Amino acid sequence: MRIDIITIFPELFKPFLQFGIIKKACEKNAVDIQTFDLRNYATDKHQMVDDYPYGGGPGMVLKPEPIWRALDELPHPRRVVFLTPQGQTFDQEKAWELSQEKNLALICGRYEGIDERVREKLVDEEISIGDYVLNGGEVPAMVIMEAVIRLLPDVLGDEDSVVGDSFYQGLLDHPHYTRPEEFKGQRVPQVLLSGDHKKIANWRKKERLRQTLLKRPDLLKKANLDSE
Ligand code: ADE
């Protein structure tokens, strides 16, 4: 998969790409991530990427030409996503959907947003990472990339497979324990020490249902449950 990020702060992405699973995914060529500095696509000598809004009012708007020119360089077929609080809320299902794309372009907004004409002509989809306002789309782009990249084939090993993740089948994760067996008077549930894999799997299944019912009952309505 290729992911292209259009941003006025490409430097923000450097540390993000240099650690952990994202770094490994790049090394394995599971994903190819490129950043495009919007200033390099400005058309005037001051490299202006923003301007005052027509009609007046506070803030600045990202100009259409630099975004258009940057997108012109990106491969087809592609899905162009604009990160904005006005988009559909991102979730695990959307992460799965985006992970199927060959080319994904992420446009990071700043200031009051982007010129409407680029949004109308070139943006396929607007995505928000939640109902709050950030200073720009860079952190949301990282959130989306992190959720998507871990779903790509061969990125996670068996030991941290996505099968046990929260939201897999629409349920939250079960509780986890590690050594010591007793910590400040609290013991690890006996079943996890039993070595009985069937019983353990059953306990985990029940716990996932219980955790979801307690913490996010809204999820149960659309959870992908079997007859058991
Ligand atoms: N840009 C600013 N706030 C945002 C949000 N909540 N989601 C996506 N992009 C944004």
Side-chain angles (χ1 to χ4, degrees), residues 9 11 16 28 30 98 139 144 173 185-186 198 217:
F9 294 129
E11 298 289 313
F16 175 73
K28 281 185 185 168
L98 295 181
V139 170
I144 289 175
D173 199 2
Q186 293 172 287
K198 205 163 165 217

Side-chain angles (χ1 to χ4, degrees), residues 36-143:
F36 291 79
D37 186 343
L38 205 52
R39 290 191 198 285
N40 294 337
Y41 297 89
T43 47
D44 67 314
K45 66 174 192 282
H46 302 294
Q47 292 193 300
M48 260 180 63
V49 290
D50 58 332
D51 211 334
Y52 295 99
Y54 275 118
M60 302 291 271
V61 178
L62 285 176
K63 287 164 71 62
E65 304 95 325
I67 299 177
W68 194 285
R69 292 175 74 205
L71 276 171
D72 255 355
E73 286 198 5
L74 305 188
H76 288 270
R78 66 199 182 189
R79 182 141 164 193
V80 178
V81 170
F82 173 48
L83 288 323
T84 165
Q86 286 155 45
Q88 291 293 308
T89 310
F90 186 64
D91 60 11
Q92 191 66 20
E93 207 177 316
K94 183 58 77 179
W96 278 109
E97 199 186 306
L98 295 181
S99 73
Q100 310 300 310
E101 295 291 336
K102 189 166 179 324
N103 297 302
L104 178 65
L106 302 175
I107 303 176
C108 306
R110 278 271 151 182
Y111 316 116
E112 296 306 306
I114 58 173
D115 189 284
E116 185 66 6
R117 290 161 293 185
V118 189
R119 202 193 55 72
E120 273 180 5
K121 287 276 183 231
L122 294 180
V123 170
D124 297 312
E125 184 171 3
E126 295 175 293
I127 296 182
S128 162
I129 60 159
D131 290 344
Y132 39 81
V133 177
L134 302 169
N135 294 331
E138 281 75 11
V139 170
M142 291 182 215
V143 168

Side-chain angles (χ1 to χ4, degrees), residues 9-22:
F9 294 129
E11 298 289 313
L12 276 179
F13 291 88
K14 281 194 178 150
F16 175 73
L17 301 178
Q18 278 167 7
F19 294 95
I21 286 170
I22 304 288

